[in-house]
Amino acid sequence: MTAILLVALFLILMLIGVPIAFVIGIVALMGIFTVPYIPEVTVPMKMLNGINSFVLLAVPLFILAANLMNSGKISQKLIDLSMAIVGHIRGGLAHANILVSMIFAGVSGAAQADTAGVGKILIPNMKKQGYDTETAVGVTAASSTIGVIIPPSIPMIIFAGLTNASIGALFLGGIIPGILIGLGMMAFVYFRALKKGYPKSERAKMKEFLKLVYETIPALITPFIIIGGIITGFFTATEAAAVASLYTLIISMFFYKTIKLSDLPKILTDTLALSSLSLFALAAASALGELLSYYQLSTMAQDFFVNNVGAKWVFILILIAFFLFIGTFMDAIPAMILFVPVILPTATHFGMTPVHLGLIVVITLAIGLVTPPYGLCLLLAGKIGELSIEKSLSAVMPYIAIILVVLIFVAFFPSIAFFVPKLINPGLFL
C-alpha cells in the first residue's frame, strides 16, 4: 500500500509541475518516513554521500570546458571549419550543424552546452539563408544529443561509477554509434535539402581550408588528449575533465585571445548554475535509491524477468521502452542512479556486459533530451528559434527515428559498436 501511495505522490507532483529533482527528494523523504528501521537523517546523509565522489567532479569540469569553448568563440571557429568541409553539399549549413555537434561532442560531454552554444549561432543563420524554422530547430536539437554518445560523455562516466564498467571501453564503444547517428542525420538532411531546395555554399579554396585547419587545430586535438589519456591510463576521467578545462582556458586566453580574466566570473557562475541542476537531482536520486534498496526492487525485477521473460531480445526491447519513457521526464543522471542498479543483475543474468548495457542506456536516455516534457535540448533550441514545443517535437521526430535505428543495431548487434574499439585496445573488452 505504501508503495502505491508513493507512486501516486510521484505522479501528482510531476503533473502539477514540481521540478523532477524536488519530486525525487520529496518522495524519498516521505518514503523513508514510513520505514521504521531507517532514520530520517538517512536522507541528507545519502544526498551528501551521493555527490561526495571524485568521479562526479568530472560533471562540472566538462561543463566548464564547454562553456569556455562557447565563451572563447571556439564554437564559431569549429562551425567555420565544418562549413568548409561540408558547406558545398546541398543543405550545407544543416550538414555543418551536425558535423560541428560531432566535433563539439569530443570536448564537452554535455549536450545542453552544444545546443546553447551552437544553436545561438546556427539557428538564426539557417533562418536567414532560407531554411524553415522547423528544420533549423530540429537539426540543432537532435544533433546535440550526439554530445552524450561520442566521448567524453558525462552519462557514461556516471554509468561507469555505478557499475564498475571500464570508462575507456564505454568511451571507445560510443564512437561508432555516435558517428553512425551523425551520418544518418546528414543523409536525411541531404534528401530533405534536395526536396526543399536548401542553399549550398561554394567549395572552400584550399588556402582558406588550410587556414581554418590551422586555426582550429588546438581545439581539434582536445578530444585526442582526453580520450587518449583515459584509454592509456595516463589519467582518470575526472583528471581528463580538469585537463580539458585548463587546456581550453589556455588556448582561449593565449592562442585565440578571446577570453579575458574579467570573463571568468560569469563563465564559472554559468557552469555552477548548470552543474547544480544535475548534481542536485543526482543527490536526491541517491536518497531515493536507498528506499528502493530497502524494498529490494532489484531482486523483484530480476525475479520478474527471469520468470516471465525468457528471451534476451524481449528483455532488451523492454529495457529500451522503459528508458525511453523515463527519459521523457527525467535527466539521464538521476535516471541511471535510480534504475541502473535495479536492472544490472537482470542484464547480467541474460549475458549482457556492463559496457553493452551502458551503451544502450546512454543512447536511449539521449533521446530524452529531445522528447518533452523534459526534452531540455528541444526546449533550448525551440526557445532560440522561437518555435512552439509542438512544432519543435514534430521537426525532431525523423532524427529520433534515426537514433532509434542505430540504437536497435547496437542493442542486438553489439559487434557494430565494438569492432573498431577492440582493434584499438582489445584489453578493455575482455
Side-chain angles (χ1 to χ4, degrees), residues 7 13 25 31 67 83 101 113 183 191 207 305 323 334 348 366 388 402 417:
V7 172
L13 292 174
N67 285 340
M83 277 299 294
S101 292
L183 292 176
F191 289 109
K207 184 178 180 180
F305 281 108
F323 278 106
T348 303
S388 69
I402 291 167

Side-chain angles (χ1 to χ4, degrees), residues 79-412:
I79 290 170
D80 293 340
L81 177 64
S82 299
M83 277 299 294
I85 296 172
V86 297
H88 62 280
I89 303 172
R90 179 66 63 184
L93 196 54
H95 291 296
N97 196 330
I98 298 167
L99 181 58
V100 77
S101 292
M102 295 168 70
I103 298 172
F104 198 95
V107 179
S108 71
Q112 300 95 316
D114 181 358
T115 309
V118 175
K120 288 177 182 177
I121 300 170
L122 284 182
I123 290 177
N125 285 345
M126 289 178 72
K127 291 168 72 175
K128 286 178 184 178
Q129 290 195 17
Y131 293 81
D132 56 84
T133 306
E134 287 82 357
T135 296
V137 169
V139 170
T140 303
S143 63
S144 64
T145 61
I146 301 173
V148 297
I149 300 171
I150 291 180
S153 164
I154 292 173
M156 286 183 183
I157 293 170
I158 302 301
F159 184 92
L162 290 170
T163 62
N164 292 320
S166 166
I167 293 179
L170 280 168
F171 277 10
L172 285 175
I175 294 174
I176 301 300
I179 292 174
L180 289 176
I181 290 170
L183 292 176
M185 290 181 180
M186 292 175 78
F188 174 78
V189 163
Y190 177 73
F191 289 109
R192 186 178 180 86
L194 289 178
K195 181 179 179 181
K196 296 277 189 176
Y198 293 144
K200 62 179 180 179
S201 304
E202 292 184 7
R203 187 184 293 270
K205 296 178 181 179
M206 183 57 65
K207 184 178 180 180
E208 180 185 351
F209 176 72
L210 292 176
K211 181 184 176 183
L212 287 170
V213 170
Y214 169 75
E215 290 177 349
T216 53
I217 276 179
L220 292 174
I221 64 175
T222 308
F224 297 98
I225 295 173
I226 297 171
I227 300 167
I230 293 173
I231 291 171
T232 58
F234 190 76
F235 41 61
T236 65
T238 303
E239 291 165 347
V243 169
S245 298
L246 181 60
Y247 177 75
T248 305
L249 176 63
I250 291 172
I251 63 174
S252 296
M253 291 185 70
F254 301 108
F255 184 83
Y256 297 116
K257 298 181 181 179
T258 50
I259 288 182
K260 301 175 182 178
L261 284 175
S262 58
D263 298 324
L264 292 181
K266 185 179 186 307
I267 294 172
L268 292 173
T269 302
D270 291 343
T271 299
L272 290 173
L274 187 56
S275 303
S276 63
L277 295 174
S278 296
L279 292 177
F280 182 78
L282 188 152
S286 298
L288 185 55
E290 178 70 14
L291 185 65
L292 298 182
S293 298
Y294 173 80
Y295 285 109
Q296 297 182 326
L297 197 61
S298 61
T299 303
M300 292 168 60
Q302 184 173 355
D303 290 342
F304 171 80
F305 281 108
V306 170
N307 295 326
N308 299 282
V309 179
K312 177 180 176 180
W313 68 271
V314 177
F315 169 72
I316 290 176
L317 290 177
I318 294 173
L319 181 70
I320 291 172
F322 175 76
F323 278 106
L324 280 174
F325 170 71
I326 292 296
T328 60
F329 60 86
M330 190 179 296
D331 186 65
I333 293 177
M336 288 192 295
I337 292 284
L338 286 175
F339 300 112
V340 165
V342 173
I343 55 98
L344 180 61
T346 308
T348 303
H349 171 81
F350 282 109
M352 297 176 66
T353 65
V355 175
H356 185 203
L357 176 65
L359 282 182
I360 294 173
V361 171
V362 168
I363 296 173
T364 307
L365 289 173
I367 297 174
L369 292 168
V370 289
T371 49
Y374 175 70
L376 187 54
C377 291
L378 187 69
L379 296 177
L380 283 172
K383 184 178 180 181
I384 295 169
E386 299 179 347
L387 190 67
S388 69
I389 188 66
E390 294 82 7
K391 290 183 177 179
S392 298
L393 178 60
S394 176
V396 87
M397 288 304 292
Y399 305 99
I400 291 177
I402 291 167
I403 301 173
L404 282 172
V405 169
V406 175
L407 172 60
I408 293 299
F409 273 99
V410 170
F412 293 102

Side-chain angles (χ1 to χ4, degrees), residues 38-119:
I38 304 180
E40 289 78 7
V41 74
T42 300
V43 174
M45 285 177 59
K46 281 294 179 180
M47 291 182 72
L48 287 173
N49 289 338
I51 57 175
N52 184 23
S53 168
F54 179 72
V55 172
L56 291 180
L57 281 174
V59 175
L61 287 171
F62 274 127
I63 292 174
L64 175 60
N67 285 340
L68 287 168
M69 283 190 67
N70 289 330
S71 300
K73 305 297 188 292
I74 297 176
S75 300
Q76 180 64 63
K77 296 184 182 299
L78 293 176
I79 290 170
D80 293 340
L81 177 64
S82 299
M83 277 299 294
I85 296 172
V86 297
H88 62 280
I89 303 172
R90 179 66 63 184
L93 196 54
H95 291 296
N97 196 330
I98 298 167
L99 181 58
V100 77
S101 292
M102 295 168 70
I103 298 172
F104 198 95
V107 179
S108 71
Q112 300 95 316
D114 181 358
T115 309
V118 175

